[in-house]
Structure formats: C-alpha cells, structure tokens
Amino acid sequence: MKLDDDIHNYYEHLVLEQIVRLELAQSKSEDYLADLCCLALNQLPTRYIRYEVDMAFYLPQSERQQMEMNAINAVKHGIAYLDNNKNKESE
C-alpha cells in the first residue's frame, strides 16, 4: 500500500473545486494558485479519506454543505490576502 496515493484530505478536493468554479486558472499564475491552495488549506481542518464515495454516502448533507462553505470562505480569504500583499509590493 502506498499511503500518499491511498489517503488524501477531502478539503483539497473542495478547494480545487472552488478554484475551478472561479476560473482562476485562466487569470492567475501557477505560483499564485499554489500559494492560494496552501493559504486556503491552512485555514481548514483536515478530513482524511480514502475514497470520494466515503464522503458521498457517510457524510450528512448539512455537514457537506458546511464543508463547502468553509472551503469557499477559505479561498476567498486566500485571494484577499494574496491580492492585498501584491498591491503592497507594487507600492
């Protein structure tokens, strides 16, 4: 068993989903996106899973919705942080 392939943090999926939803890959660099992922994930608790299906069948809908909102807010705060620091650097 190779743990780094079998186990992952479900919030990674939710953060990436939000980045895709916002179409940030079309306007931001890979470095920006990597920094954004780190900032967002560091604001969130870890939720380790082996299979996506585990979350679909065993997680109450209300908890899944809360996790999605947590990811949305974490990405929003990460964007604000990165954009605010970019503006400070150009002054």
Side-chain angles (χ1 to χ4, degrees):
M1 175 169 76
K2 195 171 175 197
L3 288 179
D4 59 340
D5 290 336
D6 292 340
I7 298 171
H8 64 279
N9 180 357
Y10 187 67
Y11 272 107
E12 293 172 4
H13 170 77
L14 295 178
V15 165
L16 292 174
E17 196 174 83
Q18 180 61 12
I19 288 171
V20 168
R21 192 175 299 125
L22 295 173
E23 299 180 348
L24 294 176
Q26 284 79 11
S27 61
K28 303 296 184 184
S29 71
E30 286 185 22
D31 284 339
Y32 181 100
L33 296 175
D35 288 343
L36 177 57
C37 286
C38 290
L39 287 168
L41 288 168
N42 281 329
Q43 296 176 60
L44 298 165
T46 52
R47 187 70 183 253
Y48 290 106
I49 62 169
R50 288 189 64 199
Y51 306 107
E52 298 287 327
V53 72
D54 291 343
M55 297 305 279
F57 288 111
Y58 302 111
L59 188 68
Q61 184 65 23
S62 61
E63 190 173 345
R64 176 168 167 74
Q65 288 174 335
Q66 184 60 54
M67 289 175 72
E68 289 173 357
M69 287 306 301
N70 292 345
I72 289 168
N73 289 330
V75 169
K76 186 187 315 181
H77 287 102
I79 290 169
Y81 179 84
L82 289 172
D83 291 349
N84 188 34
N85 283 340
K86 180 182 177 185
N87 291 336
K88 285 182 181 179
E89 288 176 5
S90 43
E91 291 177 355

